[in-house]
Amino acid sequence: MKNSISLKQKLLPLLLVAAVIILDQVTKCLIVNSLSRYSPFDEDSVIRVIGDYVRIIHVRNPAVAFSLGAALSAGWRYVLFSVLPLIVIAAVFVIYFRNKDFNSIQRWTICGILGGGLGNLIDRFFRPDGVVDFIDCTFFGWFGMDRWPTFNVADTAVVICGILFVISFIIQVKKENMEKSSGSKKEASDE
């Protein structure tokens, strides 16, 4: 028998969607209005948070993660990085409301991912120069990179909530398998 999920239990995590979008857009506005675009030759374009390890800089990304697709034409970038993600986000919202099997953690993490996706989509639709990225961290030369690609609050929400969603899904599957296994053993002992 499946647990019944109330409308309130589905609507409450949507607050995280709004919170991520608001925090993402407010931080991006602060960066755009207070920091010139990053230049390695302009010390005023860098705010050092933790020495050279964590910095705040103002860059724009017309592509997606790791600047993948930056060489594509503007038309292709618009379709691939704006229209297609909008369709995917709409589909995830539909799945979110129709699915009765997501547990509480999964509902919250899905909403964190949606908030991050929408935060970056707002930039794609309303900032012609690209998504505002500003958190810049050293990567200690791992994988040949001195610095991790610059990111923002929306990216952070997507990554953290994505990892938590996968972990919660793995835990849920293991729990269900253990319950099935113990149920099978009990049935076998009853015979």
Side-chain angles (χ1 to χ4, degrees):
M1 184 170 88
K2 299 282 182 195
N3 290 339
S4 148
I5 305 296
S6 72
L7 185 59
K8 180 180 177 185
Q9 290 173 305
K10 286 191 176 189
L11 292 176
L12 190 60
L14 294 177
L15 291 173
L16 184 57
V17 174
V20 169
I21 291 170
I22 291 167
L23 183 59
D24 179 62
Q25 290 301 309
V26 166
T27 55
K28 288 173 179 175
C29 283
L30 287 170
I31 294 301
V32 168
N33 293 324
S34 62
L35 197 59
S36 61
R37 296 261 183 115
Y38 173 68
S39 168
F41 308 109
D42 180 8
E43 194 59 34
D44 291 336
S45 70
V46 177
I47 298 172
R48 297 182 193 302
V49 178
I50 303 174
D52 208 36
Y53 297 106
V54 178
R55 309 179 307 181
I56 303 296
I57 63 175
H58 175 186
V59 296
R60 299 292 179 103
N61 185 357
V64 291
F66 301 96
S67 295
L68 294 174
L72 294 172
S73 71
W76 276 109
R77 281 196 316 260
Y78 183 77
V79 170
L80 291 174
F81 307 144
S82 298
V83 175
L84 191 59
L86 185 60
I87 293 168
V88 170
I89 287 172
V92 171
F93 266 112
V94 169
I95 292 166
Y96 174 83
F97 279 103
R98 288 190 175 174
N99 187 298
K100 294 179 173 86
D101 296 328
F102 292 135
N103 63 36
S104 179
I105 292 171
Q106 290 166 341
R107 285 192 301 276
W108 282 93
T109 57
I110 289 167
C111 286
I113 293 167
L114 288 169
L118 287 169
N120 279 337
L121 267 183
I122 290 169
D123 281 22
R124 294 195 190 289
F125 284 117
F126 298 107
R127 296 184 194 272
D129 293 345
V131 174
V132 175
D133 287 328
F134 57 91
I135 304 168
D136 180 59
C137 302
T138 190
F139 203 56
F140 304 104
W142 295 350
F143 305 111
M145 296 188 309
D146 289 329
R147 304 200 72 77
W148 186 255
T150 309
F151 57 99
N152 57 44
V153 171
D155 299 332
T156 304
V158 169
V159 170
I160 291 172
C161 290
I163 290 168
L164 291 174
F165 180 80
V166 170
I167 290 169
S168 72
F169 185 74
I170 291 168
I171 291 170
Q172 181 180 4
V173 168
K174 284 185 175 185
K175 183 179 175 185
E176 288 172 2
N177 287 341
M178 287 175 56
E179 288 172 358
K180 285 179 188 176
S181 173
S182 66
S184 298
K185 288 178 184 176
K186 184 177 181 192
E187 286 177 12
S189 67
D190 289 343
E191 294 175 358

